[in-house]
Amino acid sequence: HWWPSLGLTPFVKIPTASSTKGLGTGLADFGAILLMSKDLPWDLHADLNIGLAGIGVAGDPGGMIFRNTASLSISRPLPLKGLATFWEIFYSSREAPETRHILGTDFGFVYTIHPRVALDTSLEVGLGGDANDYAIRGGITVLLGPLRDSLDKP
């Protein structure tokens, strides 16, 4: 079938950090991300995420900036079981009046050590705006909900 898998992730960020210490605006943020996922020829997989968020502006109780985000990621499994590589390009509009947009790309690897646990690392390169010139990132993903097709059997 040609339709991608679709999902919607709504979110609300409750202001629990200290805005006097510069750890937030003291205002709630909200938004949603549209998630699209599609298997492609040549064992490739594409994920497209498009989001819109309302970000509170510090010092202005009624002030808000609407932030747009978008990312496209292409991944492909490698011959070593559980290992995949990916490339991503991403954009985010400004999140505060004094900042600029972010445009960047990253390349990396994901290693699935268990159907519920994956490790990832990437090299990010800034392409424009307030993006970092470069960054090295790493992370862990843990699935807490049920798995499809009994995948959590080792």
Side-chain angles (χ1 to χ4, degrees), residues 74-114:
I74 305 291
S75 61
R76 186 174 197 280
L78 295 175
L80 179 63
K81 184 176 181 189
L83 187 62
T85 187
F86 69 89
W87 165 79
E88 177 183 38
I89 188 162
F90 54 89
Y91 168 82
S92 179
S93 62
R94 65 189 185 131
E95 65 179 9
E98 67 276 4
T99 63
R100 298 185 323 150
H101 70 280
I102 294 171
L103 178 63
T105 188
D106 58 4
F107 310 86
F109 298 93
V110 177
Y111 183 59
T112 304
I113 58 176
H114 183 274

Side-chain angles (χ1 to χ4, degrees), residues 10-27:
F11 63 88
V12 175
K13 181 188 72 82
I14 307 298
T16 58
S18 170
S19 58
T20 58
K21 294 180 181 178
L23 299 175
T25 62
L27 302 168

Side-chain angles (χ1 to χ4, degrees), residues 5-154:
S5 298
L6 298 174
L8 183 66
T9 303
F11 63 88
V12 175
K13 181 188 72 82
I14 307 298
T16 58
S18 170
S19 58
T20 58
K21 294 180 181 178
L23 299 175
T25 62
L27 302 168
D29 300 338
F30 62 91
I33 302 170
L34 176 64
L35 312 161
M36 294 173 269
S37 185
K38 178 77 174 140
D39 287 330
L40 302 172
W42 306 296
D43 218 11
L44 295 172
H45 183 83
D47 291 297
L48 177 66
N49 300 329
I50 300 171
L52 177 64
I55 309 292
V57 176
D60 184 359
M64 182 160 291
I65 288 179
F66 286 96
R67 183 179 192 192
N68 306 304
T69 60
S71 68
L72 172 65
S73 176
I74 305 291
S75 61
R76 186 174 197 280
L78 295 175
L80 179 63
K81 184 176 181 189
L83 187 62
T85 187
F86 69 89
W87 165 79
E88 177 183 38
I89 188 162
F90 54 89
Y91 168 82
S92 179
S93 62
R94 65 189 185 131
E95 65 179 9
E98 67 276 4
T99 63
R100 298 185 323 150
H101 70 280
I102 294 171
L103 178 63
T105 188
D106 58 4
F107 310 86
F109 298 93
V110 177
Y111 183 59
T112 304
I113 58 176
H114 183 274
R116 293 185 172 276
V117 182
L119 305 173
D120 64 83
T121 186
S122 67
L123 172 64
E124 177 182 313
V125 178
L127 300 175
D130 282 345
N132 297 321
D133 289 338
Y134 65 91
I136 297 174
R137 302 197 185 274
I140 183 169
T141 301
V142 178
L143 177 64
L144 301 176
L147 289 173
R148 298 184 324 221
D149 303 325
S150 303
L151 290 176
D152 62 354
K153 295 178 183 174

